[in-house]
Amino acid sequence: MKEQLELLWELQKIDLELKSIEEEKDRYPKEMKKLDEKQRVERERIEKEKEKIESLEKIRRQREGQLSLEQEKVKRAEGRMSEVKTNKEYQALLSEIDTLRETNSRMEEEILQVMDEIDELKKDLSKREKDAGLTLEKIEAERKKLQEKMAHDEKVLDGQMERREVLSKQIESKLVKLYNTLKEKRQGVGVVGVKDETCQGCFVNVPPQMFIEVQKNNALIRCPNCNRILYWEGNGKKK
Ligand SMILES: [Zn+2]
């Protein structure tokens, strides 16, 4: 019986490991999705900045087009100077030219402002692109690590499944059946250790006489409270 219990205990440890790997496996797709989302946000932010710069460039081109039309007007007005006959006409033309020039210099001012804004944004963008590059690299590294972990888990899973098969065959089928039933009903734990006279599955005390018997690991003893098979791991040994 002792050997059987030891095998069962080992089986339990494998099953717990398998369970935690399965839980991890459920987590991976979510982690991947999170990384995708991070990447998307980062790229979108850069795209938005680029769009803003493009729209400003468009404004700049429009203003420059308008300005050159206005400059044409000034030239034409200047060309009319030679045709002027009276002083009154001369004064009128001068003031027209002045007004046009004022408008033009306002437009030039505006264009310069837009250009400054574009320069500023471009500077920000190149810094942001650098930062984003680093962030994206980090995300890529995380993704790779996750993939490696997934592959590793898959390997461990396969190995442990095989070991489980072998172990199961070494244990009396009646015992395996009991263990499987208990495991299903009791959150994956069918065999459980006892520590300080307490069942480590339900944390209820076991009777002193039973505790003495459990320490021998010689008989199939089940917790009076949770029904799990009790196992003695020895004193001071790690879990
Ligand atoms: Zn119990």
Side-chain angles (χ1 to χ4, degrees), residues 199 201-202 223 225-226:
C199 163
C202 63
C223 170
N225 181 56
C226 71

XYZ file of all heavy atoms in Angstrom, residues 199 201-202 223 225-226, ligand 1:
37
model
N -5.890 18.347 7.669
C -5.974 17.997 6.249
C -5.670 19.251 5.442
O -6.281 20.298 5.635
C -7.393 17.489 5.930
S -7.769 17.483 4.168
N -6.287 19.820 2.477
C -7.277 20.058 1.423
C -8.416 20.915 1.935
O -8.839 21.864 1.281
N -8.906 20.579 3.116
C -10.061 21.320 3.650
C -9.717 22.068 4.931
O -10.530 22.808 5.464
C -11.231 20.364 3.899
S -10.850 19.124 5.157
N -9.882 11.696 4.523
C -10.252 12.779 5.434
C -11.737 12.638 5.795
O -12.582 12.505 4.907
C -9.994 14.117 4.762
S -10.674 15.520 5.656
N -13.678 14.786 6.725
C -14.456 15.958 6.309
C -14.608 16.064 4.790
O -15.714 16.171 4.275
C -13.814 17.237 6.850
C -14.602 18.470 6.476
O -15.785 18.569 6.772
N -13.951 19.397 5.791
N -13.493 15.992 4.035
C -13.577 16.220 2.583
C -13.435 14.930 1.778
O -13.531 14.964 0.546
C -12.554 17.266 2.142
S -10.845 16.694 2.204
Zn -10.040 17.195 4.226
